[in-house]
Amino acid sequence: MKNDKRKFITIGFLGCLLFILLGTIHVSQGQASAGYFNFWQRLWHDEQQQNFLLHSRLPRFVIGCLAGSSLAVAGMLMQTMTKNPLASASTLGIHSGAYFFVVAFAVFFPHLSGKHPLFLAFGGGLVAAMLVWGLVGKTLDPVRVALTGMIVSMLFASFTAALQLLFANEASGLFLWGSGTLLQLDWSGVQFAWPWIGIVLLITLAISRKLDVLLLNEEAAIGIGEKVGLIKLVGWLAAIFLAAITVAVVGPIGFVGIIAPHVVRLLGLRLHFSMILGNIVVGALLLVSADILVRIISQTSELPVGAMTALIGGPCIVYLAMKMGRSVRGKSSPLGGHVLFPKKGLVYGVLLIITICLFVVSLRFGGTEFTPFHLLGQELAHNAYVWNFRVPRILVSFLVGMLMAAGGVLFQSVLRNPLADASVLGVTSGAGMTAMLFMILFPGLAYLFVPIGAVAGAFVVMGLILTCSSRGGFQPVTLLLIGVSISAVCSAIIQILMVKSKLYAAQALTWLSGSTYGSSWDHVWMALVTGIILLPLIYYFSRTYDALIFGEEVAIGFGIHTSRLRLWMIIVGVIISAISVSIVGTIGFIGLLAPHAARRIVGIKHQAVFPVSILLGGMLLLAADFLGRYVLAPNEVPAGLLVSIVGAPYLLYLLKKSGQVKVR
């Protein structure tokens, strides 16, 4: 007991020293600062520096401490109640839900959003948490909680991005805040936040002994007379409220709630009273340190601190996912299907008819409309707008949709994972990151170099995913967790690139959301050449893929070099995904939806699945592009957003339905 007390005192003393050091560094930074030592030398006789310190830098430092402490304690509470080391406000979708509610009310009810931002954020976070809990069930399996929370985050992020694009004027001031920033112009944010945070933290300290009971088996806790349900309810409300306060003041800042509790536990603190105090200090240190790094990277422009915490936290989630993957096992054959239509010729005929109808409708409607007479007459043949803008866009939508579906078939087959897709695995984000990097660093290069950069980034990300997940035997859930984590890191880098390059927020959001706007005949030829070369090659080996469905031993028994085949399939899948990203941006879920739909129509044999999948993929993206142009004309909704709004719920449905994840 004495040793624990000494350890706590020693850790507290060292933490306070580090806190003071980081605090002096933090407040000395700024666009008008001449450096650490010069700042403190000039402070005593320079009134301008004193004003900067009192009205800008000190509020920023204090709000960073308050937000970091809130996020850390909220994460610790969620990890305790779910017994899940990956639980936090960001991974459970609470941040995304809170942010969506704030943006939605700013757009539709602006007179209410400014008066009650805290309660709006709390309502959004509560809705997200209830959605995750409803989909996972009362057992709160750690892996399913993490996966469901991340996908709920993706769903709310898609809704938020759609609002930001459709109502750019109303949401224009929320872009930097939506990425997480500690920027403060006065003390109003601190004055608003500190009473709420102080009260909730005192409540958590008051119930800390009750929270210790949750470390026991639930039956044992009930046996000693504790009201476990009431304790969890108070804990959940406190955690969501702390997360909501930070969103209302500084925006959604992720990963602090994951890292800080793990650091505290590594320091040897186990009881909740000491863990709460430890998380208050460690959370503040982490967020202030991240803000220091952000300001070192960019001394002339404001970068979102949320991007820096994602860069730090992403690798931590990868490590935890690898660790959790050892206790997770899946069924031997996760891919399945139903032969609803045994006559394949009829299926192909129906799909081709629907495709032709989509082409005609897309050509006629959207923005500028053409009558049937125009479509059949001479005017269409000489209409520059049609041939230079609409026809290339329609062809790009269909061709890229086919490529994305082909990539999904390859990834799901090679990994024997029904959740595998370039967007879900993070390959799309990696390709988008390097494509944007090439566009920013080498703006004078030919467009041909953009897909080269995208392919390079996609290969790097896929290599990282496979290397990290190999220790867990390429388990589906491990792959998904690692992919989402790497995707978060790539998205953080993209945010930094956007701000550093001074890209317009709406333009960058459009490209990142995935859009066929601005498609040209160069894009058509790039997609067409890729399809002509790779799609027949994939179909040629389609019978061989069937053996992989039934496991490694069966495939080897047929004389197939499985390692060589898997490597070839991964390479082709990555190339297809990267080229698709370089043409239309980061459109996701096509590669997830199309193969699933195909297997439900024609079964699991790849000779039937592959052609049906690529037709469905082309139809999905073509339909999404048409609806994006037509529904809210003259405004446009990026096709990628429409697909995400459909794809994220479908992924949740798959997680809800599948019984493949079991914990030993």
Side-chain angles (χ1 to χ4, degrees), residues 351 355 358 394-409 587-598 609-625 639 643:
L351 292 179
T355 301
L358 280 173
I394 292 171
L395 291 175
V396 163
S397 300
F398 187 73
L399 291 171
V400 171
M402 292 175 68
L403 293 177
M404 289 179 172
V409 171
I587 294 178
F589 295 108
I590 294 287
L592 176 74
L593 296 171
H596 271 280
V609 168
F610 181 73
V612 173
S613 294
I614 61 175
L615 281 174
L616 288 173
M619 291 164 53
L620 281 170
L621 191 52
L622 183 58
D625 177 65
V643 176

Side-chain angles (χ1 to χ4, degrees), residues 111-313:
H111 59 286
L112 294 176
S113 63
K115 296 178 181 178
H116 310 289
L118 173 58
F119 297 104
L120 293 179
F122 178 74
L126 189 61
V127 168
M130 292 176 66
L131 181 59
V132 172
W133 186 81
L135 289 168
V136 173
K138 295 182 179 180
T139 56
L140 292 179
D141 175 78
V143 175
R144 297 182 72 83
V145 168
L147 294 178
T148 305
M150 289 178 177
I151 298 165
V152 167
S153 296
M154 294 163 63
L155 178 63
F156 278 114
S158 299
F159 291 150
T160 305
L163 289 179
Q164 287 178 317
L165 286 170
L166 294 175
F167 303 94
N169 293 331
E170 293 84 349
S172 60
L174 300 175
F175 181 72
L176 181 62
W177 171 81
S179 301
T181 177
L182 301 183
L183 180 65
Q184 301 291 305
L185 301 177
D186 52 34
W187 286 93
S188 59
V190 175
Q191 291 172 350
F192 169 78
W194 80 262
W196 294 108
I197 293 175
I199 291 170
V200 178
L201 289 180
L202 287 175
I203 291 172
T204 59
L205 286 170
I207 64 169
S208 58
R209 289 189 177 180
K210 298 290 184 181
L211 292 171
D212 290 335
V213 175
L214 298 180
L215 300 175
L216 303 172
N217 186 291
E218 188 163 328
E219 289 76 11
I222 295 173
I224 60 176
E226 294 292 345
K227 297 179 180 179
V228 175
L230 181 61
I231 296 171
K232 285 186 175 182
L233 177 62
V234 174
W236 272 113
L237 291 176
I240 295 172
F241 203 82
L242 287 172
I245 295 169
T246 60
V247 171
V249 179
V250 298
I253 298 175
F255 297 99
V256 174
I258 294 179
I259 304 171
H262 282 279
V263 172
V264 169
R265 283 192 286 269
L266 286 174
L267 293 174
L269 304 179
R270 291 292 181 267
L271 297 178
H272 278 84
F273 187 87
S274 59
M275 283 201 299
I276 291 170
L277 295 177
N279 275 285
I280 290 173
V281 176
V282 173
L285 288 174
L286 281 173
L287 192 52
V288 168
S289 301
D291 199 42
I292 290 173
L293 291 175
V294 160
R295 299 173 87 181
I296 290 173
I297 292 172
S298 180
Q299 298 180 358
T300 58
S301 60
E302 185 70 28
L303 286 179
V305 70
M308 183 57 65
T309 58
L311 285 176
I312 299 170

Side-chain angles (χ1 to χ4, degrees), residues 360 364 369-381:
V360 173
R364 179 184 173 188
E369 296 186 4
F370 299 92
T371 65
F373 175 77
H374 289 149
L375 288 176
L376 298 174
Q378 293 295 320
E379 182 176 338
L380 178 64

